[in-house]
Amino acid sequence: MQDLQLSNPSIENTFGALFIGATLAAFLWGISNVQILFYFQMQRGTGMTFLKLAIILLWILDALHLAFIVHSIYYYLVINYASMSALTEIVWSFKLQVIFNVLITNSVHALYLHRLWIVSKGRSRALPITVCITVALDLGVDIALVWVLYQCHMFSDLIKAEWASYTALSTIAVVDIFIVSSLWYLLATSRTGFSSTDSFVDKLTAYIVNTGCIMSIGSVATMITCAVMPNNYIFIGVGFVVSKLYVNSFLALLNARYYLQGNADNNDSSDKRRVRRFLYQPESHIRVPQVEGVQASRKSMSKHPDDDEVIFTRPAQTDMPQRSPIAVTVEINSFSSV
């Protein structure tokens, strides 16, 4: 296995790749801030809940992860610019960002497991328990990866520890697929037979599959670039954005119900029935004086504040008692295509 060629390194595919990865990580961190702000706005007035605390903790971990990435890039490209001996060493912040990467991915897995446990309420717990076991195994593999990383002091030592990277990344990808497929199965078997509910479930299922694929893309891309280009830092730059993809995918899942519910509410509002009430006053058979005050009082008593009212009256001409008005309700359905 060839060592990393750092005696005369190519800045473009080594520290240039790290810089691009840090820039993308900062961009994704900004998107996660927007999603968090949106979630707290939608949840204002509900008090402090478990998910709010989890999101705050996740934001702190994500911010610290980005801070360590920025420090490592600043250390290599600014503080030790053109210092070849410093460029070959692994700075402490680089190792810490890996730890926070592991913490974020496992935290997101735990939150997905929590959602899976909620969705499986009233059913067999075998599926979420199985997913919990796989998440625990992934945590063990990640701990081994961190231990191996702290045995490395030079970037060339990472080649010797590539087996740990492959194992951790492949395990993460398997856990992602397992979580997404479990959520898909539980939602697909949650149909009620009502078209509106089934449509909402279908949209939510598609949203979960898409966000799950986004999670897996980062780990799979890191593994592929590490296998194809082990002599540069492109796989490390791709690894910078993995945790950001995890955070954004989970936040998108939380906010999906508000996006989808908003569409459902718009469809429901377009399907509301407009009710128009006609008060038909039959022809009376007694001649009574038409007093304006009595007519005004009848009109105010029979008027509904939300209904359009049309009163048909004819003059009374016979001697039979006057009948009370008959309310006729006409419902006009207004449907809109989905």
Side-chain angles (χ1 to χ4, degrees), residues 240-283:
F240 283 167
V241 304
V242 170
S243 62
K244 312 303 178 189
L245 292 176
Y246 273 75
V247 173
N248 278 283
S249 65
F250 180 73
L251 293 173
L253 177 63
L254 290 182
N255 294 327
R257 55 182 175 177
Y258 299 106
Y259 299 142
L260 301 178
Q261 189 65 39
N263 294 333
D265 291 342
N266 292 333
N267 293 334
D268 291 342
S269 63
S270 63
D271 293 340
K272 284 182 179 179
R273 295 177 176 179
R274 295 177 298 172
V275 179
R276 179 171 297 176
R277 179 170 295 177
F278 299 93
L279 294 182
Y280 172 68
Q281 188 171 0
E283 181 179 352

Side-chain angles (χ1 to χ4, degrees), residues 59-327:
W59 180 86
I60 294 174
L61 294 176
D62 201 23
L64 290 175
H65 177 253
L66 180 62
F68 291 131
I69 291 176
V70 172
H71 176 270
S72 62
I73 298 299
Y74 187 82
Y75 174 83
Y76 289 121
L77 300 183
V78 178
I79 297 177
N80 293 285
Y81 173 74
S83 176
M84 302 308 300
S85 59
L87 294 180
T88 59
E89 298 177 355
I90 300 178
V91 67
W92 61 269
S93 57
F94 181 86
K95 296 180 179 181
L96 275 180
Q97 68 87 19
V98 175
I99 294 179
F100 277 86
N101 195 346
V102 169
L103 289 175
I104 291 172
T105 54
N106 284 275
S107 298
V108 173
H109 282 163
L111 292 173
Y112 267 104
L113 181 61
H114 177 257
R115 307 303 295 176
L116 183 64
W117 188 269
I118 293 176
V119 174
S120 64
K121 184 178 181 180
R123 304 185 186 185
S124 175
R125 298 294 191 181
L127 187 58
I129 290 175
T130 305
V131 176
C132 180
I133 294 174
T134 58
V135 171
L137 292 175
D138 176 56
L139 178 60
V141 173
D142 291 338
I143 292 175
L145 171 65
V146 172
W147 182 83
V148 171
L149 176 64
Y150 267 81
Q151 307 306 312
C152 301
H153 303 286
M154 309 290 289
F155 278 105
S156 58
D157 297 335
L158 295 177
I159 296 297
K160 303 175 183 178
E162 64 179 359
W163 62 270
S165 300
Y166 291 149
T167 305
L169 292 171
S170 59
T171 306
I172 289 175
V174 170
V175 173
D176 294 340
I177 296 173
F178 202 8
I179 290 175
V180 172
S181 60
S182 300
L183 286 172
W184 172 82
Y185 171 77
L186 291 175
L187 289 176
T189 56
S190 300
R191 298 179 178 274
T192 60
F194 296 98
S195 59
S196 58
T197 305
D198 290 346
S199 176
F200 180 80
V201 170
D202 291 339
K203 293 178 181 178
L204 185 59
T205 303
Y207 215 88
I208 289 175
V209 172
N210 292 332
T211 54
C213 291
I214 292 175
M215 285 195 307
S216 301
I217 284 174
S219 56
V220 172
T222 306
M223 186 166 51
I224 292 175
T225 52
C226 182
V228 175
M229 296 173 288
N231 296 325
N232 54 46
Y233 297 169
I234 293 178
F235 69 96
I236 300 177
V238 176
F240 283 167
V241 304
V242 170
S243 62
K244 312 303 178 189
L245 292 176
Y246 273 75
V247 173
N248 278 283
S249 65
F250 180 73
L251 293 173
L253 177 63
L254 290 182
N255 294 327
R257 55 182 175 177
Y258 299 106
Y259 299 142
L260 301 178
Q261 189 65 39
N263 294 333
D265 291 342
N266 292 333
N267 293 334
D268 291 342
S269 63
S270 63
D271 293 340
K272 284 182 179 179
R273 295 177 176 179
R274 295 177 298 172
V275 179
R276 179 171 297 176
R277 179 170 295 177
F278 299 93
L279 294 182
Y280 172 68
Q281 188 171 0
E283 181 179 352
S284 56
H285 298 280
I286 182 171
R287 186 180 299 275
V288 294
Q290 301 293 329
V291 182
E292 294 181 359
V294 176
Q295 290 180 350
S297 62
R298 287 179 181 177
K299 183 179 296 184
S300 61
M301 292 176 62
S302 61
K303 185 177 181 180
H304 193 276
D306 296 329
D307 297 332
D308 298 333
E309 184 178 82
V310 180
I311 300 179
F312 300 91
T313 58
R314 295 185 181 180
Q317 294 179 355
T318 59
D319 296 335
M320 292 188 65
Q322 187 175 4
R323 299 177 183 177
S324 59
I326 300 175

